[in-house]
């Protein structure tokens, strides 16, 4: 073999250009970093970004590798929007409602009180205007997004005392997300913000009176049942919280068409798997919690209705003060109203009948 | 350039073998044919297989091409299991319950009366034992399967007369799927099997008294509202019918690891998109149907309860007579019971509250 003549003559390059080069180009090695907002202990949610990265690797024969980093590892858990915006990481895995403080419109991409359930937000994202509108909004932050999971309707949380009426909310120090806090503040409740690691000791010491985390599977691992007897439902502020993959727009634009399609499909696969994981694991955890003495309680209709009215007032205020919110919420709320008309017939009636049976 | 010396010296092959050859191998051109059980007019379901094929093409830069053929184009719509089994096509898109006649166990992979809803069967498939058990069963037919869509809870269908009690089912010629027919037969109902194209004329002429097809979006296109005033819900025989991609096991085994991952993720993407499409389109169609005079009616609790008991009896009989059914159903029914315990709390309560609101 005469290597020099091969190069000099342009032989291999000529051949590659003729037929093979695009294949090699398409399979260029890529390494990305993903910053998650979630701790490793949430194997449900954190596991979703690991599954996503694994699938991208498998589809590309290991040529597109994404390293997944838990919340706090590369940056604070709730700084991942900044990380993606500046390009210090190529992507993140997070939930829009963590960024209520930046702009409440972020929440419409994950969950707002009395919003869509998991199936409804899927429909809005994939087949309504959801992805389109959220992408327009996220573009200001250099973000391109893809669906990245859902928990299903969350629980209302752990309370040391019963909540029998709106009056019982007065003075209650309740750890919850900021949007739920805004809705509950008019009733004299004092919203608290605490990271996962501080929840148990704060509830145990009485620094807070109540908290909500996720649902039976995740909550059981943190042991809240040992220090609070009442477990409320539903978590009306998170009826179907949608989790997102945020991708830096330049990193996204630099991908080949093939790799874009790979990332999109891997995200969808991880997206459907996360909700399935919650639904598969929550029943066992709930049974164990009840078996160990946890008292399940629904929020009363009065509490729910008062919170619903408070939420509608907040949305009216946001429509007046925030044009980005208004643009997205106008579409979101119309879609939600239509969904609830439809879901009360075949879907709702089937579910209610089945839930009444002894199986 | 000296092309001969290049080949003679093994230059390009040596170079390729050293680093580039695996990439070229992984991108070998593949052409598959997919036989659907669905007509093109069902843009929802048929569109799901088109979306799947499109995504596989995009992810592989067009090197893995799947041509999609509507029901009847390559083989009769309900012969696709045979087509995949013999390898005359590499894959199919179908719903297991069409093959009740081959073995009722097929139905557990799609829908059985009073079975799982769409979210529950997702959980069973992806995170329970569903895919594992169904794959063991399908292996006898040389089939490897992947989730390929869901319609959500279907409607109970179009009736020319009201069904106020179980007695009204007597003598009723009702076009439905064979499993629902078995459940209803003890009440004197006469199940009918008809292809899509014959439904409208049969109902118009009175050859049949009632029929069920899918839900508002698909039903509206066939115009049943013009000849039957009563639209019943829910279609308890299809609370969440799961659609599958069936792949010939040899064709599957011959794929590279990369292509297997591509096919799996494309299927998941199409899977989540199909349900989103139904949920996004059904509300508008339902409103238009009601606006044009369609009378929505729930099946009475008596009718539902009698059908539920009949279904449980049928399952007990199948458990005694069909070991394959029993093996899968034992897992399915335990999973379903757990799901219904869990869904009645956070998820069910949230949905019921939302459905009561004026939004």
């Amino acid at each position: 073999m005469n290597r020099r003549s091969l190069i000099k003559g342009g032989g291999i390059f000529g051949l590659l250009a003729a037929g093979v080069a695009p294949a090699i180009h398409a399979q260029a090695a890529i390494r990305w970093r993903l910053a998650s907002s979630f701790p490793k202990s949430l194997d449900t949610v954190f596991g979703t970004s690991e599954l996503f990265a694994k699938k991208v690797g498998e589809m590309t024969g290991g040529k597109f590798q994404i390293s997944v980093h838990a919340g706090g590892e590369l940056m604070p858990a709730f700084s991942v929007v900044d990380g993606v915006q500046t390009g210090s990481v190529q992507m993140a895995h997070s939930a829009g409602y963590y960024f209520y403080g930046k702009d409440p419109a972020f929440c419409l991409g994950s969950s707002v009180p009395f919003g869509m359930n998991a199936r409804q937000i899927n429909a809005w994202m994939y087949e309504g205007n959801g992805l389109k509108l959220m992408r327009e909004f996220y573009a200001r932050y250099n973000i391109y997004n893809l669906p990245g999971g859902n928990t299903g309707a969350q629980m209302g949380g752990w309370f040391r005392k019963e909540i029998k009426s709106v009056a019982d909310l007065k003075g209650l120090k309740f750890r919850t997300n900021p949007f739920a806090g805004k809705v509950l503040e008019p009733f004299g409740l004092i919203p608290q913000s605490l990271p996962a690691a501080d929840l148990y000791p704060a509830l145990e010491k009485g620094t807070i009176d109540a908290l909500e985390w996720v649902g039976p599977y995740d909550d059981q691992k943190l042991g809240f049942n040992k220090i609070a007897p009442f477990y409320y439902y539903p978590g009306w502020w998170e009826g179907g919280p949608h989790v997102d993959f945020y991708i830096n727009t330049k990193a996204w634009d630099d991908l080949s068409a093939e790799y874009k399609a790979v990332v999109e499909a891997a995200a969808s696969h991880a997206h459907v798997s996360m909700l399935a994981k919650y639904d598969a694991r929550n029943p066992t955890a709930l049974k164990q919690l009840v078996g160990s003495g946890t008292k399940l309680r629904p929020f009363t209709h009065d509490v729910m209705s008062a919170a619903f009215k408070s939420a509608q007032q907040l949305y009216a205020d946001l429509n007046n003060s925030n044009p980005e919110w208004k643009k997205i919420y106008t579409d979101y709320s119309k879609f939600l109203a239509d969904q609830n008309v439809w879901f009360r017939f075949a879907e709702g009636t089937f579910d209610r009948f089945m839930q009444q049976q002894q199986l």
Side-chain angles (χ1 to χ4, degrees), chain A:
Chain A
M1 173 190 164
N2 183 341
R3 206 146 174 256
R4 257 192 322 162
S5 77
L6 198 154
I7 290 164
K8 208 170 66 182
I12 190 167
F13 301 106
L15 266 177
L16 289 174
V20 188
I24 291 170
H25 170 73
Q27 302 224 355
I30 294 192
R31 285 179 180 274
W32 277 10
R33 295 193 306 169
L34 180 155
S36 174
S37 287
F38 307 103
K40 280 190 183 162
S41 58
L42 279 180
D43 59 318
T44 42
V45 197
F46 186 74
T48 300
S49 54
E50 291 183 309
L51 177 62
F52 163 77
K54 180 168 171 275
K55 289 293 156 192
V56 170
E58 285 175 5
M59 285 193 262
T60 61
K63 283 172 277 297
F64 189 165
Q65 292 196 11
I66 299 170
S67 62
V68 176
H69 303 271
E73 201 177 307
L74 300 177
M75 62 192 73
F78 301 133
S79 297
V80 299
V81 162
D82 310 307
V84 174
Q85 186 173 8
T86 60
S88 78
V89 290
Q90 289 77 18
M91 66 183 295
H93 190 225
S94 194
Y97 56 39
Y98 291 138
F99 310 104
Y100 179 87
K102 274 187 194 293
D103 192 326
F106 268 99
C107 303
L108 291 165
S110 59
S111 188
V112 298
F114 302 104
M116 296 186 199
N117 70 22
R119 251 180 72 176
Q120 294 168 343
I121 199 163
N122 263 359
W124 185 58
M125 289 288 178
Y126 282 90
E127 295 287 332
N129 295 319
L131 271 181
K132 181 179 157 286
L133 288 168
M134 291 312 303
R135 281 175 185 165
E136 281 173 19
F137 172 74
Y138 288 143
R140 306 156 132 223
Y141 299 87
N142 298 336
I143 288 174
Y144 180 86
N145 70 305
L146 288 165
N150 201 303
T151 67
Q154 295 199 359
M155 291 291 283
W158 299 86
F159 290 71
R160 296 167 69 113
K161 290 183 182 163
E162 282 191 89
I163 304 298
K164 293 180 177 169
S165 71
V166 176
D168 293 333
L169 297 173
K170 195 166 183 183
L172 197 81
K173 284 172 283 177
F174 180 41
R175 185 272 180 194
T176 186
N177 79 50
F179 214 149
K182 278 277 174 202
V183 170
L184 289 164
E185 263 178 359
F187 311 121
L189 178 142
I190 305 154
Q192 306 282 311
S193 179
L194 288 174
D198 298 346
L199 295 177
Y200 188 97
L203 186 63
E204 191 178 30
K205 281 187 228 155
T207 314
I208 55 175
D209 304 305
L211 63 84
E212 57 92 14
W213 180 229
V214 186
Y217 177 72
D218 291 328
D219 291 4
Q220 186 185 35
K221 286 187 287 182
L222 297 186
F224 302 130
N225 57 312
K226 294 175 205 149
I227 45 174
F230 300 105
Y231 196 20
Y232 273 85
Y233 64 90
W236 44 261
W237 48 88
E238 300 182 58
H242 179 95
V243 178
D244 259 314
F245 292 111
Y246 291 149
I247 302 172
N248 174 274
T249 44
K250 180 164 187 323
W252 175 255
D253 291 342
D254 284 349
L255 291 182
S256 66
E258 289 92 323
Y259 278 177
K260 279 181 182 160
V262 160
V263 168
E264 183 194 33
S268 289
H269 183 78
H271 179 66
V272 68
S273 298
M274 178 169 145
L275 184 57
K277 196 173 278 187
Y278 271 111
D279 286 338
R281 296 180 185 187
N282 274 327
T284 305
L286 183 71
K287 285 196 283 188
Q288 288 170 350
L289 288 168
V290 170
S292 73
T294 288
K295 295 177 208 309
L296 285 178
R297 291 282 186 277
F299 283 123
T300 65
H301 199 269
D302 280 0
V303 168
M304 294 278 284
S305 291
F308 180 81
K309 274 180 210 149
S310 174
Q312 303 311 312
Q313 183 58 52
L314 200 53
Y315 301 156
D317 294 346
L318 284 167
N319 281 342
N320 286 331
S321 63
N322 183 331
E324 283 294 327
W325 164 280
K326 186 181 180 182
K327 184 181 173 187
I328 306 170
Y329 184 72
T330 301
D331 190 83
Y332 179 99
S333 59
K334 186 185 175 306
F335 196 90
L336 171 60
D338 280 354
Q339 289 295 300
N340 280 325
V341 166
W342 163 234
F343 268 65
R344 81 174 58 144
F345 293 103
E347 200 71 44
T349 314
F350 180 73
D351 283 347
R352 280 194 294 281
F353 181 83
M354 291 303 292
Q355 287 163 20
Q356 290 159 10
Q357 305 312 310
Q358 296 296 322
L359 291 170

